Amino acid sequence: MEIDPTTLSQAQTATQRSGFAREDFLKLLTAELTHQDPLNPIDNSQFLEQLTSLQNLEATSALTDGINALARFQQFSAASSLIGMDAIGVSDEGEVVRGRVEKVVFDASTKKIRLMIGGKLVAIGNLREVVLPESLQKDAVDRAIEASDANDAESA
């Protein structure tokens, strides 16, 4: 009997999936050994193949969960760097939103990262434009040079 990895729920964590798969595998193995034909016992190669499939499933599940967590962390980090920037995006209601990115929110129910722009939540995938606010476009050195030039112009 083969274990089909596609039947496991993708919403479960690797630990939940591996525990579930391990328990089910042991139940199936026990049932198979209990009810096997004594004249035609289970083939060792089949048993090892099933065991290897289970271990591959567990390893793949853990790797997938790790990659998903890393991707969420990377998205959250990228979204956090947008705080204080002016942005244009489309809200969940389909409304075009313009304003400053106030905060980043992770929605646990949908597993999506959203930005708070002008009091409205915008999925990071729905951003259309991000720019530095005018107050931040020039650094302190540029502002000092402009102020100095303005002072020179006034005194001349």
Side-chain angles (χ1 to χ4, degrees), residues 76 79 103-107 112-116 121:
F76 199 85
K103 66 180 176 177
V104 177
V105 178
F106 176 72
D107 187 350
K112 289 188 178 181
I113 295 171
R114 301 187 188 292
L115 304 171
M116 180 69 72
L121 287 175

Side-chain angles (χ1 to χ4, degrees), residues 10-105:
Q10 293 180 353
Q12 296 174 324
T13 65
T15 306
Q16 291 168 329
R17 284 192 302 263
S18 65
F20 177 74
R22 190 175 294 125
E23 288 173 16
D24 284 349
F25 178 75
L26 292 175
K27 286 179 186 176
L28 288 171
L29 181 63
T30 304
E32 192 173 340
L33 292 174
T34 304
H35 297 95
Q36 74 177 330
D37 181 3
L39 301 176
N40 188 15
I42 188 171
D43 183 23
N44 285 340
S45 63
Q46 260 187 334
F47 176 73
L48 289 175
E49 192 176 300
Q50 289 175 3
L51 190 58
T52 302
S53 294
L54 176 66
Q55 289 172 339
N56 286 340
L57 174 65
E58 290 176 9
T60 302
S61 294
L63 182 62
T64 300
D65 286 346
I67 289 171
N68 288 339
L70 180 62
R72 273 193 308 275
F73 175 76
Q74 187 175 7
Q75 271 190 332
F76 199 85
S77 178
S80 296
S81 70
L82 299 176
I83 293 175
M85 304 278 197
D86 288 336
I88 299 172
V90 179
S91 72
D92 295 341
E93 295 81 31
E95 176 185 351
V96 175
V97 178
R98 299 170 197 273
R100 185 144 307 150
V101 177
E102 301 160 12
K103 66 180 176 177
V104 177
V105 178

